[in-house]
């Protein structure tokens, strides 16, 4: 048995801290304080997780889901986070700038999807 396990069983030591579940948070290797199992505290890790993260923040139609998924699949997981954040930010900004209420979703969708289109063509970096 390892020394730390003996200490835990005897009650002499603290339990070792768990590393974060997501490679996107706490790259130092340890989490300060108690480890939280809350879903809201855990950053998405896979492409599907990022797609759901985006869908929670702005409405996506099936065509948007396919378009965003193909854009995310091209990128490293760290870059997926940047693209997801930028997508949502662009979507919200364009929707807020549209003066006509019923056109807001399309304005946001158009602006955000243009980022991914440019990324696929190699004309833009995340």
């Amino acid at each position: 048995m390892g020394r730390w396990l003996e200490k835990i069983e005897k009650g002499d030591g603290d339990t070792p801290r768990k590393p974060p579940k997501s490679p996107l948070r706490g790259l130092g290797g340890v989490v300060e304080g108690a480890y939280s199992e809350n879903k809201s505290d855990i950053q998405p890790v896979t492409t599907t997780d990022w797609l759901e993260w985006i869908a929670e923040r702005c409405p996506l139609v099936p065509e948007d889901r396919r378009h965003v998924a193909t854009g995310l699949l091209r990128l490293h997981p760290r870059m997926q986070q940047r693209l997801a954040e930028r997508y949502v930010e662009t979507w919200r900004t364009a929707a807020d700038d549209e003066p006509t209420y019923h056109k807001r979703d399309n304005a946001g969708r158009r602006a955000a999807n243009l980022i991914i289109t440019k990324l696929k063509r190699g004309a833009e970096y995340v």
Side-chain angles (χ1 to χ4, degrees), residues 1-16:
M1 241 191 282
R3 289 183 186 167
W4 68 270
L5 189 56
E6 289 174 6
K7 287 182 179 181
I8 293 170
E9 288 177 353
K10 292 179 183 177
D12 294 340
D14 294 331
T15 58

Side-chain angles (χ1 to χ4, degrees), residues 37-51:
E37 295 288 340
N38 293 340
K39 186 178 179 182
S40 62
D41 292 344
I42 299 172
Q43 290 280 336
V45 179
T46 65
T47 302
T48 307
D49 292 341
W50 282 116
L51 194 57

Side-chain angles (χ1 to χ4, degrees), residues 22-37:
S22 170
L24 304 175
R25 291 186 56 206
L27 295 177
V30 290
V31 176
E32 296 300 322
Y35 185 71
S36 175
E37 295 288 340

